[in-house]
RNA sequence: UCGGGUGUCGUCCAAUGGUAGGACAGCAGACUCUGGAUCUGCCUAUCGAGGUUCGAAUCCUUGCACCCGAGCCA
């Protein structure tokens, strides 16, 4: 999808499915689903699951449903339901008319529960939550049977009906599956399958005051939808025997569950609980803060669906837990943006340059290419005049040997314009350089010297009189540590929040072609990085988010301290 | 301690008894009107110990490490 003829992804899940298809299971039918709980925004980890489930369905000529596992009304909201649909669609996937909710099955699930009671496989328990926990035992000691475990079927039926009718208070009684309190799998020790909960559900409103537990809803929902391959994360491995038990007791269609390791990404956190915490405590501006690993945050940051999909393909799928370097995500992004983002000149931290020998009042329109990777994107005109701005960091009065940008006496090229040479500097009271005086060589118009002489570097620039102002937000990793959750000595993950994860630069100057750029559009600011127009932009005041920097050799040299002063 | 899982370059993923390979990162170089892009080269790995085999990442035994599990969360 989008990417050139890569070899089709191959992993243990596809191998299993392919084996099932060859063996004629389900008549070769493949049907998956993406089953989020609408209790938060989707993140890049969900993208992995989305690409897996929708991707597999596509490859095997099957279908993939979108189903909301909305069994806990206390935590779920329509805001989340809506954002999730938007995000899945934005990623490029389509569930057609197969949008489902576990809550669609509340009636059916209730019937299933009654069936279990009738079979003597479920009972109403009057024990409190604390008592149930106590009776459950521990991993090394078996649990004990509840004193209510052997209630007659009729009594259970009556009690369960009265639970449903609202006769009992929240938490006063639960329905439990009757399995084995001595099982070494804690999930099989008579798990609670229905609880009394007076909360308004985002879809069923006040229709129910009992709700099925996830464990009682998930497997059966898959079964109801005819899901052939129920792909989920590792922590549900221990639940599989329980799902199988329900399916077998109920005698209904049996999906095959396959577990894989969830995605961990360096320099960020991925749990919805922690992301919610960052939002609530104001460490970020919201779920879609461009620093967040959420789909909406990445979108606002300027990521493309193609880059995210390519990333999900490259990280692979396996059962071992791992942490992917965020550099891979950024690589996929640059790879995609390099091909499609129009180039443009923008000066983030301007320093004024006066071309002494350039006629006052004259303006030239110079031709610049929009994307050297794609000639079809054409060219544009950029105005040049006597007073310009270049980047502060592109000038050094007393440069080290490896700095080959502008300095006194040195000639460099202004991209698509002229060679200029710095002849003098103007300083303020504090001794800081505030203005450069240069001369230009009229013979180098367009950027090439007819006499064949070369310059070491090419700088981006804008014309003072023609440039437009903008604000730019420079983003960096949200956390300074690759694994913010992994330090046992730290109080918690927030200890590693990166104080420099966002820097706002306000007096940036852009070339005039950017006037009226629409929110969401992406550009490469030459030599700086990829930037995306933020929705905070106003008509006369553009706001850009830095999506990602370009790979930067000079920054690397500075960082590793490899340059030698004056060689 | 009990049950379930997992151990391969710095990182992620392959190799399913037959030359341990790819990607990212890193390093070095070529090229370049973006210190970008592109291209070339280099670098480093099978958790340990035994065993089976002509041959083991793969099979067996054993040890170790890590992850998950005692919600009326999902």
């Amino acid at each position: 999808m989008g990417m050139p003829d890569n070899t089709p992804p191959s992993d243990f899940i596809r191998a299993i499915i392919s084996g099932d298809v060859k063996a004629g299971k389900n008549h070769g039918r493949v049907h998956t689903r993406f089953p989020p709980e609408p209790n938060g925004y989707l993140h890049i980890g969900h993208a992995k699951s989305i690409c897996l489930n929708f991707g597999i369905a596509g490859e095997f000529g099957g279908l993939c449903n979108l189903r909301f596992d909305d069994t806990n009304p206390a935590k779920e909201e329509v805001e989340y339901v809506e954002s999730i649909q938007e995000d899945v669609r934005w990623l490029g996937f389509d569930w057609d008319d197969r949008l489902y909710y576990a809550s669609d099955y509340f009636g059916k699930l209730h019937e299933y529960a009654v069936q279990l009671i009738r079979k003597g496989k479920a009972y109403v328990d009057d024990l409190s939550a604390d008592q149930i926990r106590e009776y459950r035992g521990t991993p090394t000691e078996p649990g004990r049977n509840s004193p209510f475990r052997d209630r007659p079927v009729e009594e259970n039926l009556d009690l369960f009906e009265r639970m449903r009718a609202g006769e009992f208070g929240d938490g006063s009684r639960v329905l439990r599956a009757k399995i084995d309190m001595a099982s070494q799998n804690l999930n099989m020790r008579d798990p609670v399958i229905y609880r009394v909960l007076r909360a308004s559900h985002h879809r069923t409103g006040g229709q129910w005051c009992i709700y099925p537990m996830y464990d009682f809803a998930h497997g059966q929902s898959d079964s109801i939808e005819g899901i052939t391959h129920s792909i989920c994360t590792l922590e549900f491995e221990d639940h599989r025997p329980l799902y199988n038990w329900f399916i077998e007791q109920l005698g209904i269609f049996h999906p095959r569950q396959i577990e894989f390791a969830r995605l961990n990404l360096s320099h960020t956190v991925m749990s919805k609980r922690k992301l919610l915490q960052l939002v609530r405590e104001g460490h970020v501006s919201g779920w879609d803060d461009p620093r967040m690993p959420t789909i909406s945050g990445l979108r606002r940051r300027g990521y493309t669906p193609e880059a995210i999909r390519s990333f999900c393909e490259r990280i692979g799928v396996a059962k071992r837990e791992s942490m992917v370097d965020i550099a891979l995500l950024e690589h996929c992004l640059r790879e995609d943006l390099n091909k499609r983002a129009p180039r443009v000149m923008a000066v983030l931290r301007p320093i004024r340059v006066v071309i002494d020998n350039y006629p006052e009042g004259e303006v030239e329109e110079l031709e610049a290419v929009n994307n050297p990777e794609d000639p079809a994107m054409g060219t544009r005109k950029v105005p040049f005049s006597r007073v310009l701005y270049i980047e502060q960091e592109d000038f050094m009065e007393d440069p080290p040997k490896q700095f080959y940008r502008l300095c006194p006496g040195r000639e460099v090229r202004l991209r698509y314009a002229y060679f200029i040479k710095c002849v003098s500097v103007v300083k303020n009271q504090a001794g800081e350089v505030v203005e450069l005086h240069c001369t230009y060589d009229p013979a180098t118009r367009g950027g090439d010297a007819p006499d064949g002489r070369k310059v070491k570097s090419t700088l981006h620039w804008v014309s003072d009189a023609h440039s437009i102002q903008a604000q730019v937000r420079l983003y960096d990793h949200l956390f300074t540590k690759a694994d913010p959750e992994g330090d046992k000595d730290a109080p918690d993950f927030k200890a590693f929040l990166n104080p420099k994860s966002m820097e706002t630069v306000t007096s940036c100057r852009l070339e005039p072609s950017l006037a009226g750029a629409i929110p969401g559009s992406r550009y490469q600011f030459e030599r700086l990085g990829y930037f995306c127009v933020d929705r905070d932009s106003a008509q006369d005041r553009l706001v850009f988010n830095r999506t990602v920097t370009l790979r930067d050799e000079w920054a690397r040299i500075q960082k590793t301290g490899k340059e030698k002063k004056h060689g």
Side-chain angles (χ1 to χ4, degrees):
Chain A
M1 209 171 203
M3 302 311 293
D5 50 76
N6 293 334
T7 51
S10 163
D11 53 67
F12 80 100
I13 295 180
R14 282 177 243 247
I16 289 170
I17 294 177
S18 167
D20 285 350
V21 169
K22 284 193 186 102
K25 277 195 193 170
N26 304 304
H27 308 288
R29 191 172 62 85
V30 172
H31 201 149
T32 58
R33 101 269 93 124
F34 172 61
E37 184 195 12
N39 68 341
Y41 280 63
L42 258 28
H43 53 63
I44 182 84
H46 294 108
K48 175 180 180 181
S49 173
I50 292 166
C51 291
L52 228 202
N53 279 292
F54 280 92
I56 283 174
E59 290 157 35
F60 288 89
L63 299 170
C64 180
N65 298 352
L66 173 61
R67 182 183 71 242
F68 289 99
D69 273 339
D70 53 353
T71 53
N72 185 359
K75 289 185 178 172
E76 297 150 8
E77 295 173 25
V78 284
E79 177 194 350
Y80 299 133
V81 170
E82 285 161 5
S83 73
I84 288 169
Q85 294 185 59
E86 182 186 359
D87 290 348
V88 175
R89 232 179 261 122
W90 178 78
L91 276 173
F93 298 102
D94 188 3
W95 54 89
D96 295 315
D97 57 349
R98 296 178 314 283
L99 172 62
Y100 302 121
Y101 296 82
S103 54
D104 290 344
Y105 312 134
F106 281 172
K108 192 75 188 165
L109 261 7
H110 178 263
E111 274 174 42
Y112 286 154
V114 170
Q115 272 182 51
L116 288 186
I117 295 173
R118 289 222 160 89
K119 285 187 73 176
K121 298 293 185 180
Y123 62 97
V124 172
D125 198 347
D126 299 359
L127 254 28
S128 70
D130 284 346
Q131 289 171 312
I132 288 179
R133 187 184 320 119
E134 200 185 314
Y135 274 69
R136 186 154 29 228
T138 70
T140 49
E141 302 157 36
R144 284 137 50 216
N145 286 171
S146 163
F148 304 96
R149 195 174 199 258
D150 292 315
R151 286 218 250 234
V153 168
E154 286 311 316
E155 187 183 342
N156 282 319
L157 250 17
D158 174 61
L159 254 14
F160 186 50
E161 170 53 24
R162 290 162 62 194
M163 277 171 64
R164 193 197 62 74
E167 286 189 32
F168 308 123
D170 287 12
S172 61
R173 274 180 239 255
V174 293
L175 183 69
R176 292 228 255 168
K178 191 194 274 192
I179 309 180
D180 176 10
M181 290 305 291
S183 173
Q184 284 177 315
N185 182 341
L186 274 349
N187 296 120
M188 301 298 269
R189 318 242 266 227
D190 289 12
V192 171
I193 59 179
Y194 258 95
R195 76 277 220 191
V196 179
L197 190 58
R198 256 155 279 247
S200 176
H201 188 279
H202 69 105
R203 297 199 87 225
T204 61
Q207 194 182 335
W208 297 88
C209 65
I210 56 171
Y211 291 94
M213 296 291 291
Y214 172 85
D215 278 350
F216 193 67
H218 186 82
Q220 286 96 305
S221 298
D222 281 346
S223 177
I224 290 167
E225 294 177 16
I227 299 304
T228 57
H229 299 273
S230 179
I231 300 167
C232 64
T233 44
L234 255 25
E235 68 270 28
F236 294 105
E237 214 152 11
D238 284 341
H239 296 240
R240 192 173 54 210
L242 176 59
Y243 301 163
N244 290 345
W245 187 89
F246 289 138
I247 297 273
E248 281 153 24
Q249 293 300 323
L250 264 11
I252 56 181
F253 176 75
H254 199 322
R256 188 203 306 202
Q257 174 169 308
I258 307 169
E259 307 86 6
F260 71 97
R262 59 159 23 107
L263 169 67
N264 293 299
L265 233 205
S266 75
H267 302 281
T268 190
V269 293
M270 209 69 98
S271 88
K272 279 198 248 182
R273 203 198 98 241
K274 284 175 179 148
L275 294 176
L276 179 61
Q277 198 180 342
L278 293 175
V279 172
R280 291 228 168 114
E281 294 175 9
H283 297 106
V284 295
S285 64
W287 284 99
D288 69 344
D289 185 296
R291 291 166 292 184
M292 291 281 271
T294 51
I295 305 299
S296 52
L298 295 170
R299 176 169 58 232
R300 191 171 174 191
R301 175 81 168 253
Y303 273 74
T304 60
E306 289 82 357
I308 294 173
R309 276 191 250 127
S310 161
F311 171 74
C312 290
E313 228 170 72
R314 288 191 197 211
I315 56 176
V317 183
K319 292 194 75 159
R320 82 182 79 112
E321 288 207 51
S322 58
M323 162 136 356
V324 177
D325 193 334
I326 199 167
L328 179 60
L329 214 210
E330 293 170 343
H331 167 82
C332 294
L333 216 212
R334 290 189 185 105
E335 184 179 62
D336 185 40
L337 257 16
N338 177 48
K339 287 179 303 192
R340 62 206 296 181
R343 301 287 113 152
V344 102
M345 290 196 284
V347 177
L348 265 29
R349 295 179 176 87
I351 181 168
R352 196 177 153 90
V353 174
V354 179
I355 311 294
D356 291 336
N357 59 339
Y358 195 85
E360 207 136 359
E362 182 157 337
V363 179
E364 287 178 90
E365 295 283 331
L366 299 165
E367 188 167 60
V369 336
N370 289 331
N371 189 342
E373 301 292 318
D374 181 7
M377 288 175 75
T379 62
R380 68 186 185 285
K381 299 289 189 185
V382 185
F384 184 90
S385 65
R386 187 167 190 268
V387 180
L388 314 167
Y389 290 104
I390 65 166
E391 209 69 61
Q392 280 172 27
E393 62 173 27
D394 281 341
F395 174 83
M396 278 184 103
E397 194 177 11
D398 184 20
K401 192 186 179 191
Q402 288 187 60
F403 181 91
Y404 45 82
R405 277 111 96 141
L406 193 62
C407 64
R410 178 134 90 204
E411 187 174 56
V412 299
R413 170 168 42 232
L414 292 183
R415 183 142 227 224
Y416 302 126
Y418 293 99
F419 285 11
I420 61 166
K421 184 186 278 188
C422 177
V423 293
S424 65
V425 305
V426 178
K427 296 185 183 180
N428 63 11
Q429 300 279 28
E432 300 155 341
V433 177
V434 293
E435 184 176 288
L436 306 176
H437 282 263
C438 298
T439 56
Y440 85 117
D441 177 355
T444 59
R445 186 175 200 273
D448 280 306
D451 62 4
R453 75 182 190 279
K454 301 290 180 197
V455 288
K456 255 311 217 174
S457 74
T458 300
L459 309 184
H460 60 277
W461 54 275
V462 295
S463 164
D464 173 36
H466 306 86
S467 62
I468 54 179
Q469 292 242 12
Q471 182 194 101
V472 176
R473 297 167 183 162
L474 306 175
Y475 293 108
D476 195 358
H477 301 152
L478 226 203
F479 292 89
T480 52
K481 218 166 177 291
D483 180 12
E485 296 157 287
D487 192 322
K488 289 168 199 72
D489 300 325
D492 76 338
F493 71 104
K494 287 176 292 174
F496 304 107
L497 273 164
N498 180 4
K500 300 198 198 93
S501 61
M502 178 174 80
E503 183 187 355
T504 303
V505 217
T506 50
S507 19
C508 309
R509 300 285 199 135
L510 317 175
E511 64 168 66
S513 73
L514 247 9
I518 40 177
S521 50
R522 309 175 184 92
Y523 298 88
Q524 184 196 101
F525 289 180
E526 294 224 30
R527 304 208 303 133
L528 297 174
Y530 296 97
F531 295 76
C532 173
V533 182
D534 191 79
R535 60 146 191 264
D536 286 349
S537 295
Q539 188 72 339
D540 53 340
R541 181 176 162 278
L542 285 171
V543 178
F544 280 85
N545 297 323
R546 182 173 68 195
T547 309
V548 68
T549 61
L550 255 23
R551 284 185 65 236
D552 188 346
E553 183 76 1
W554 172 237
R556 211 200 81 237
I557 292 169
Q558 287 175 301
K559 200 170 144 195
T560 54
K562 283 173 72 176
E563 85 279 16
K564 304 169 212 88
K565 272 269 175 192
H566 301 283

